[in-house]
Coordinates of all heavy atoms in Angstrom, one line a residue:
L239 N 39.6 -21.2 -12.4 CA 38.8 -22.4 -12.2 C 38.6 -22.6 -10.7 O 37.5 -23.0 -10.3 CB 39.5 -23.6 -12.8 CG 38.8 -24.9 -12.9 CD1 39.3 -25.7 -14.1 CD2 38.9 -25.8 -11.6
A256 N 28.2 -29.2 -23.2 CA 27.9 -28.1 -24.0 C 28.4 -28.2 -25.4 O 27.8 -27.7 -26.4 CB 28.5 -26.8 -23.3
V292 N 39.3 -33.4 -26.0 CA 38.9 -32.4 -27.0 C 40.2 -32.2 -27.9 O 41.3 -32.5 -27.5 CB 38.6 -31.0 -26.4 CG1 37.3 -31.1 -25.6 CG2 39.7 -30.5 -25.5
D293 N 39.9 -31.7 -29.1 CA 40.9 -31.4 -30.1 C 40.8 -30.0 -30.5 O 39.6 -29.5 -30.7 CB 40.9 -32.3 -31.3 CG 41.6 -33.6 -31.1 OD1 42.5 -33.6 -30.3 OD2 41.3 -34.6 -31.8
I295 N 41.0 -27.3 -33.5 CA 41.0 -27.3 -34.9 C 41.3 -25.9 -35.5 O 41.0 -24.9 -34.8 CB 39.6 -27.8 -35.5 CG1 38.5 -27.0 -34.9 CG2 39.4 -29.3 -35.1 CD1 37.1 -27.4 -35.5
S304 N 38.5 -16.0 -36.7 CA 37.5 -16.7 -36.0 C 38.0 -17.3 -34.7 O 37.3 -17.8 -33.8 CB 36.8 -17.8 -36.8 OG 37.8 -18.7 -37.3
D323 N 23.9 -38.8 -19.4 CA 23.1 -39.9 -18.8 C 23.0 -39.8 -17.3 O 22.0 -40.2 -16.7 CB 23.7 -41.3 -19.2 CG 23.6 -41.6 -20.7 OD1 22.8 -41.0 -21.3 OD2 24.4 -42.5 -21.1
A331 N 26.9 -23.0 -15.4 CA 27.5 -23.7 -14.3 C 26.8 -23.3 -13.0 O 26.6 -22.1 -12.8 CB 29.0 -23.3 -14.2
P332 N 26.5 -24.2 -12.1 CA 25.8 -23.8 -10.9 C 26.8 -23.1 -9.9 O 28.0 -23.2 -10.1 CB 25.4 -25.2 -10.3 CG 26.4 -26.2 -10.9 CD 26.7 -25.6 -12.2
L352 N 12.0 0.5 4.3 CA 11.0 1.2 3.6 C 10.6 2.5 4.2 O 10.2 2.6 5.3 CB 9.7 0.3 3.5 CG 9.9 -1.1 2.8 CD1 8.6 -1.9 2.9 CD2 10.2 -0.9 1.4
G363 N -2.0 4.3 -4.9 CA -3.1 4.0 -5.8 C -4.3 3.3 -5.2 O -5.3 3.1 -5.9
M371 N -3.3 2.0 7.2 CA -2.0 2.3 6.7 C -0.9 2.3 7.8 O 0.2 1.9 7.6 CB -2.0 3.7 6.1 CG -0.8 4.1 5.3 SD -0.7 3.1 3.8 CE 1.0 3.6 3.2
S380 N 8.8 -5.4 8.2 CA 9.2 -6.5 9.0 C 10.0 -7.5 8.3 O 10.8 -8.3 8.9 CB 8.1 -7.2 9.7 OG 7.3 -7.9 8.8
G388 N -10.0 -11.0 5.3 CA -11.1 -10.1 5.0 C -12.0 -10.7 4.0 O -11.6 -11.6 3.2
L416 N 24.5 -25.9 -6.6 CA 25.1 -27.2 -6.5 C 25.2 -27.6 -5.1 O 25.8 -26.9 -4.3 CB 26.4 -27.4 -7.2 CG 27.0 -28.8 -7.3 CD1 26.2 -29.7 -8.2 CD2 28.5 -28.8 -7.7
L443 N 28.3 1.9 -13.9 CA 28.2 2.7 -12.7 C 29.4 2.7 -11.8 O 29.7 3.6 -11.0 CB 26.9 2.2 -11.9 CG 25.6 2.5 -12.5 CD1 24.5 1.8 -11.7 CD2 25.3 4.0 -12.5
T478 N 12.9 -36.3 -13.1 CA 13.5 -37.6 -13.4 C 14.2 -37.7 -14.8 O 15.1 -38.4 -15.0 CB 12.5 -38.7 -13.2 OG1 11.4 -38.4 -14.1 CG2 12.0 -38.8 -11.8
L496 N 6.6 -13.4 -1.1 CA 5.8 -14.5 -1.6 C 4.4 -14.3 -1.0 O 4.2 -14.3 0.2 CB 6.4 -15.9 -1.1 CG 5.6 -17.1 -1.4 CD1 5.4 -17.3 -2.9 CD2 6.2 -18.3 -0.7
T523 N 15.9 -20.3 8.0 CA 16.6 -21.4 7.3 C 15.5 -22.4 6.9 O 14.6 -22.7 7.7 CB 17.6 -22.1 8.1 OG1 18.7 -21.1 8.5 CG2 18.3 -23.2 7.4
M527 N 14.0 -31.6 1.5 CA 14.4 -33.0 1.3 C 14.8 -33.3 -0.1 O 14.1 -33.0 -1.1 CB 13.2 -33.8 1.8 CG 12.7 -33.6 3.2 SD 14.1 -33.7 4.4 CE 14.5 -35.5 4.2
Q560 N -0.2 -17.2 16.6 CA 0.6 -16.4 17.5 C 2.0 -16.3 17.1 O 2.8 -15.4 17.5 CB 0.5 -16.9 18.9 CG -0.9 -16.7 19.6 CD -1.0 -17.3 21.0 OE1 -0.2 -18.2 21.3 NE2 -2.0 -16.9 21.8
V591 N -16.4 10.7 -14.4 CA -17.6 10.3 -13.7 C -18.2 11.5 -13.0 O -17.4 12.2 -12.2 CB -17.4 9.1 -12.7 CG1 -17.1 7.9 -13.5 CG2 -16.3 9.5 -11.7
D593 N -21.5 13.4 -10.6 CA -22.3 13.0 -9.5 C -23.5 12.2 -9.9 O -23.9 11.3 -9.2 CB -22.7 14.3 -8.7 CG -21.6 14.9 -8.0 OD1 -20.5 14.3 -7.8 OD2 -21.7 16.1 -7.6
L596 N -22.5 8.6 -10.4 CA -22.2 8.0 -9.2 C -23.4 7.7 -8.4 O -23.5 6.6 -7.7 CB -21.2 8.9 -8.3 CG -19.8 9.0 -8.9 CD1 -19.0 10.0 -8.0 CD2 -19.1 7.6 -8.9
M600 N -24.5 3.9 -7.1 CA -24.9 3.6 -5.7 C -26.3 3.2 -5.5 O -26.6 2.2 -4.8 CB -24.6 4.9 -4.8 CG -23.1 5.4 -4.9 SD -21.9 4.1 -4.3 CE -22.1 4.3 -2.5
A606 N -30.3 -1.0 -4.9 CA -31.5 -1.6 -5.5 C -31.3 -3.1 -5.6 O -32.3 -3.9 -5.5 CB -31.8 -1.1 -6.9
R609 N -26.3 -5.8 -3.4 CA -24.9 -6.3 -3.5 C -24.1 -5.5 -2.6 O -24.2 -4.3 -2.5 CB -24.4 -6.3 -4.9 CG -22.9 -6.7 -5.1 CD -22.4 -6.6 -6.5 NE -21.0 -6.8 -6.6 CZ -20.4 -7.9 -7.0 NH1 -21.1 -9.0 -7.3 NH2 -19.1 -8.0 -7.1
Q622 N -14.8 -3.5 -18.0 CA -15.8 -4.1 -18.8 C -16.5 -3.1 -19.7 O -16.8 -3.4 -20.9 CB -16.8 -4.9 -17.9 CG -17.8 -5.7 -18.7 CD -17.2 -6.8 -19.6 OE1 -16.3 -7.4 -19.1 NE2 -17.7 -6.9 -20.8
T652 N -24.5 -12.2 -8.5 CA -25.8 -12.9 -8.5 C -26.9 -11.9 -8.2 O -28.0 -12.3 -7.7 CB -25.8 -14.0 -7.4 OG1 -25.6 -13.4 -6.1 CG2 -24.8 -15.0 -7.7

Side-chain angles (χ1 to χ4, degrees):
L239 189 153
V292 296
D293 273 338
I295 57 177
S304 54
D323 292 340
L352 295 179
M371 192 65 188
S380 71
L416 183 71
L443 290 170
T478 55
L496 175 61
T523 300
M527 301 307 296
Q560 289 176 343
V591 291
D593 290 342
L596 290 175
M600 302 299 282
R609 178 180 169 100
Q622 184 60 41
T652 58

